[in-house]
Amino acid sequence: MATFGGINSNSSLPSPQGLSCHLWDGDVLCLPGSIVSAPGPVLVPTRLQTELVLRCYQETDCDLCVRVAIHLAVHGHWEEPKGEEKFGGAADPELEESRNAFLQAQVVLSFQAYPTARCVLLEVQVPAALVQPGQSVGSVVFDCFEAALGAEVRIWSYTQPRYQKELNLTQHLPDCKGLEVRDSIQSCWALPWLNVSADGDDVHLVLDVSEDQRFGLSLYWNQVQGPTKPWWHRNLTGPQTITLNHTDLFPCLCIQVWPLEPDSVRTSICPFREDPRAHRNLWRAARLQLLPPRGWRLDAPCSLPAEATLCWQAPGGGPCQSLVPPLPPANVTVNKALELPLLNVHPNLCVQVSSWEKLQLQECLWVDSLGPLKDDMLLVETRDPHNNRSLCALEPSGCTPLLSRASTRAARLGEQLLQDLQSGQCLQLWDDDLRALWACPMDKYVHQRWALVWLACLLFVAVLFLLFLFRKDQVKAATRGRAALLLYSAEDSGFERLVSALASALCQLPLRVAVDLWSRRELSAQGPLAWFHAQRRQTLQEGGVVVLLFSPGAVVLCREWLQDGASTPAPQGPHDAFAASLSCVLPDFLQGRAPGRYVGAYFDGLLHSDAVPALFRSVPVFSLPSQLPGFLGTLQEPGDPRPGLLRERARLVSQALQPALDQLLKAPGDPGDPEDGTRDGT
């Protein structure tokens, strides 16, 4: 086997007249082009093999490079002779000439390793008379591509023009630590040694290099789909310790380090591929969105091992039911707009993204453009090869045949739904040769004889309610303030009294305050998570603000969620909305949506300011009652024309708040007493 187009011929081929090749001078453009039909027999690459070798200039002066072997075979057929020639007539001179000629091909070999890429062109040929269609003709070897130690290299091979799908191969190269021959590579002698260590929430990148040695350090996201994305780059002087927060970790985060010398070798490692924190951060940063009219997109810093499916979300809650057609089962392509295989869209259609059979994301964002969920019945039509069809209605209990005797709504209205479908009143969402989906409206099947009675009753009740509000609250309604939702961790009765005093005082400012203390009946009926979702949505839609009241227990819950975010911490009690809300509050902070919508606060003597997790300091955090003026100024309506009232309002709130705070601080044996080490947030 020779270098630069050397030949490894099959034993059946005569060596003097066998496979030969020629390497073009210089690199070429990497442009695969579209697949075209072969005009006859052609040579195509069938398999790639790599071998790591040392290219040595002296015994202790070597570089690592990748030797690539391309195995070739004949693809396509010669055209058979027609007419008499097929039965022993005189041979076609042109056909004989083509069979005595050479099969030639231009094979492109592409090599990519961050941050470089190369493409070379090999011209190969073999006598046509010595080979048959489908036969392997040997291999050619390119010797070789220089590569950085520790790098991830990707190799492609295809012909020009391209007769089939290109071959590809990915390989992780060892670094100096993994090479037994590192003493032969001079760059390994002075290469900065990089170690990764963890300390609590932080990750340390320790570079063990001599003093005053200059080196480069680069952090980048190594994408399987798409190009690598540089994130951080510095030229430094050793030794150094770089600290990363655990929220910065992603599976595709890689580190490259090299001495600042001419032609230095770069070492690359990707140490967080299997780190559970990195995978949790990736899903928290992922964003699923539906793009009208029939598109969807998943944005994430790294590629995701996930699958996407369509589902149908009925009004009134309940799980989203999976539908045909399934989306392509291959891994989801991130950061790219994709099209759904639908004829029409519907507000009840949603996209789910799952990983390892666990639901990670679900979005029904078409609701924003198409309106709220509809009380439509989804019909699934199935056809057999003889064009016989059957219909069933998708319900929570399963798919109910329309003309069955079941006691479900779809079975009772089966004949009417079938007539609606035949008369064109249903919307077709999807169709192929064997199945179809239809959405049929159900509005007209509401008991219409009661509609007018209920409408009259509702109007009567509404008039009485408006009169009652007008008489009792006409002055207060004119000064109705901004909405504020208070979230806290229910630790003990003393802390709840303190929160209740704060909420009551804020209502007199005026502010429209929502707190779970005043909604225990709703909280028990709906559950903490559903209650919080409804209150948060209403508060933010009205331009209000969510107030996070930090206490030692709340800080512990936040840290548990950040460290073990695979599952939401269990609520501390049946009415604890704080623990239930973390699954929505923390993503707003992680994705930068919190400023202007959230504000933090803690009470003097219960917590130190540095105990509040750093993630929440992206919004104003106040100590109460010492910083009440600033706190109330943040809560008031933007552009409030009466800023002079802030000091008086702060005095009134402080008078209402201080007795409850003093009682809590002096309470003996309280779980949060300073003697047990929790008042200071430690």
Side-chain angles (χ1 to χ4, degrees):
M1 185 178 297
T3 63
F4 283 94
I7 304 167
N8 180 17
S9 300
N10 288 344
S11 58
S12 60
L13 293 178
S15 298
Q17 300 177 357
L19 180 67
S20 62
C21 74
H22 168 71
L23 173 68
W24 276 36
D25 294 334
D27 291 354
V28 297
L29 294 177
C30 303
L31 298 174
S34 303
I35 296 178
V36 299
S37 299
V42 292
L43 293 178
V44 294
T46 58
R47 186 163 59 93
L48 295 175
Q49 282 183 301
T50 60
E51 180 184 3
L52 298 182
V53 296
L54 289 180
R55 171 174 288 174
C56 296
Y57 310 99
Q58 296 179 6
E59 183 177 354
T60 60
D61 184 11
C62 302
D63 290 329
L64 183 68
C65 63
V66 180
R67 177 182 293 161
V68 183
I70 310 169
H71 295 262
L72 301 164
V74 179
H75 173 76
H77 300 271
W78 282 281
E79 293 185 4
E80 293 294 333
K82 299 180 180 179
E84 295 181 357
E85 297 176 1
K86 183 176 180 180
F87 301 99
D92 186 347
E94 294 184 1
L95 179 61
E96 289 297 327
E97 182 179 354
S98 65
R99 291 186 174 179
N100 291 328
F102 285 86
L103 294 182
Q104 296 182 342
Q106 291 187 339
V107 179
V108 176
L109 190 59
S110 173
F111 181 88
Q112 294 188 13
Y114 180 81
T116 60
R118 291 188 58 195
C119 281
V120 298
L121 181 63
L122 305 173
E123 284 190 345
V124 294
Q125 66 177 16
V126 66
L130 300 180
V131 295
Q132 296 295 328
Q135 178 185 2
S136 175
V137 299
S139 62
V140 294
V141 176
F142 182 84
D143 193 356
C144 58
F145 290 108
E146 294 185 4
L149 296 171
E152 179 182 81
V153 300
R154 301 187 183 102
I155 303 170
W156 287 269
S157 182
Y158 50 88
T159 59
Q160 287 185 342
R162 190 158 65 103
Y163 299 122
Q164 63 183 16
K165 185 178 180 180
E166 65 269 18
L167 302 179
N168 66 83
L169 182 148
T170 300
Q171 184 172 359
H172 295 278
L173 305 187
D175 57 16
C176 285
K177 294 182 179 180
L179 285 176
E180 296 180 357
V181 293
R182 57 178 174 268
D183 293 339
S184 301
I185 303 178
Q186 292 183 358
S187 57
C188 286
W189 303 349
L191 191 68
W193 295 107
L194 177 65
N195 292 307
V196 180
S197 63
D199 181 14
D201 289 346
D202 296 329
V203 174
H204 302 299
L205 310 180
V206 182
L207 289 107
D208 184 13
V209 296
S210 60
E211 292 187 4
D212 300 329
Q213 180 183 347
R214 299 178 65 247
F215 60 92
L217 180 68
S218 177
L219 301 179
Y220 63 95
W221 289 312
N222 189 30
Q223 291 278 38
V224 175
Q225 299 161 340
T228 57
K229 296 181 179 180
W231 176 45
W232 187 88
H233 171 81
R234 292 289 188 276
N235 291 335
L236 304 170
T237 302
Q240 287 281 347
T241 298
I242 311 297
T243 300
L244 300 177
N245 192 282
H246 71 97
T247 57
D248 297 327
L249 305 185
F250 291 99
C252 63
L253 179 61
C254 299
I255 308 161
Q256 190 172 87
V257 61
W258 66 97
L260 293 178
E261 299 173 357
D263 300 324
S264 60
V265 175
R266 300 188 177 210
T267 294
S268 297
I269 61 171
C270 303
F272 310 111
R273 296 179 187 273
E274 307 299 330
D275 194 314
R277 296 171 300 176
H279 285 273
R280 288 196 294 268
N281 291 338
L282 178 58
W283 280 111
R284 291 171 187 165
R287 180 172 174 239
L288 175 63
Q289 55 180 329
L290 301 188
L291 309 173
R294 289 187 295 274
W296 69 288
R297 179 185 176 100
L298 179 63
D299 291 316
C302 307
S303 300
L304 285 167
E307 293 185 355
T309 56
L310 277 175
C311 63
W312 178 266
Q313 181 65 65
C320 196
Q321 296 173 276
S322 297
L323 296 178
V324 291
L327 299 180
N331 286 353
V332 174
T333 302
V334 299
N335 307 323
K336 180 181 179 181
L338 304 172
E339 188 170 352
L340 294 170
L342 295 171
L343 299 175
N344 293 286
V345 294
H346 192 281
N348 295 33
L349 287 174
C350 307
V351 173
Q352 290 180 333
V353 176
S354 303
S355 176
W356 306 109
E357 299 183 354
K358 177 182 178 182
L359 177 62
Q360 299 284 0
L361 299 170
Q362 176 179 315
E363 287 297 335
C364 310
L365 296 186
W366 281 324
V367 172
D368 295 338
S369 58
L370 301 179
L373 299 177
K374 295 183 178 180
D375 187 23
D376 288 0
M377 185 68 68
L378 186 74
L379 302 185
V380 180
E381 178 183 348
T382 305
R383 311 184 189 100
D384 62 18
H386 302 290
N387 205 27
N388 297 319
R389 67 175 187 171
S390 60
L391 288 163
C392 65
L394 192 65
E395 296 184 293
S397 58
C399 206
T400 306
L402 284 189
L403 302 180
S404 70
R405 297 181 179 180
S407 58
T408 64
R409 182 172 67 159
R412 291 193 299 269
L413 300 173
E415 293 186 1
Q416 293 93 321
L417 288 172
L418 187 58
Q419 293 175 2
D420 291 345
L421 180 62
Q422 295 172 347
S423 61
Q425 299 183 40
C426 299
L427 177 68
Q428 188 176 39
L429 304 179
W430 175 76
D431 183 36
D432 70 0
D433 294 337
L434 299 178
R435 291 166 297 184
L437 296 177
W438 304 84
C440 299
M442 301 291 290
D443 299 340
K444 63 181 179 179
Y445 297 114
V446 178
H447 298 292
Q448 298 180 358
R449 60 180 180 176
W450 295 105
L452 294 178
V453 176
W454 278 110
L455 180 60
C457 292
L458 289 174
L459 288 175
F460 180 74
V461 172
V463 170
L464 290 180
F465 184 69
L466 290 174
L467 289 175
F468 175 78
L469 291 179
F470 181 78
R471 288 177 176 271
K472 182 178 179 181
D473 297 323
Q474 61 183 153
V475 176
K476 186 176 179 179
T479 59
R480 191 182 186 195
R482 193 181 188 188
L485 171 61
L486 303 187
L487 291 179
Y488 70 98
S489 177
E491 301 180 20
D492 54 67
S493 59
F495 190 75
E496 287 191 343
R497 284 193 296 270
L498 181 59
V499 173
S500 179
L502 175 63
S504 300
L506 293 179
C507 286
Q508 306 302 318
L509 295 184
L511 283 170
R512 290 181 288 117
V513 179
V515 64
D516 60 4
L517 281 170
W518 301 343
S519 305
R520 288 290 168 82
R521 181 175 297 178
E522 298 175 18
L523 208 64
S524 298
Q526 301 177 14
L529 185 59
W531 180 87
F532 165 74
H533 271 297
Q535 295 296 329
R536 173 180 171 274
R537 180 182 301 172
Q538 180 178 354
T539 299
L540 296 181
Q541 285 179 348
E542 295 176 358
V545 63
V546 179
V547 180
L548 302 176
L549 296 177
F550 290 100
S551 62
V555 170
V556 170
L557 283 175
C558 293
R559 287 177 176 169
E560 288 179 355
W561 200 99
L562 288 170
Q563 293 174 0
D564 303 309
S567 59
T568 304
Q572 302 301 301
H575 307 298
D576 191 355
F578 184 89
S581 68
L582 287 179
S583 62
C584 286
V585 168
L586 289 177
D588 284 347
F589 281 84
L590 291 171
Q591 298 176 13
R593 299 196 301 263
R597 308 167 76 184
Y598 291 82
V599 64
Y602 58 93
F603 295 98
D604 296 340
L606 290 181
L607 203 68
H608 289 321
S609 60
D610 55 1
V612 177
L615 177 65
F616 297 97
R617 297 174 191 167
S618 60
V619 301
V621 180
F622 300 94
S623 180
L624 306 181
S626 60
Q627 296 178 349
L628 266 171
F631 176 71
L632 299 180
T634 303
L635 294 186
Q636 71 179 1
E637 288 282 352
D640 192 333
R642 297 166 295 173
L645 295 178
L646 276 180
R647 184 172 300 175
E648 178 63 16
R649 290 176 175 177
R651 185 184 66 82
L652 295 175
V653 175
S654 180
Q655 288 179 353
L657 193 62
Q658 196 65 50
L661 181 58
D662 292 340
Q663 183 180 2
L664 179 60
L665 292 175
K666 296 177 182 178
D670 188 272
D673 198 83
E675 283 76 13
D676 65 6
T678 59
R679 287 281 188 226
D680 60 357
T682 60

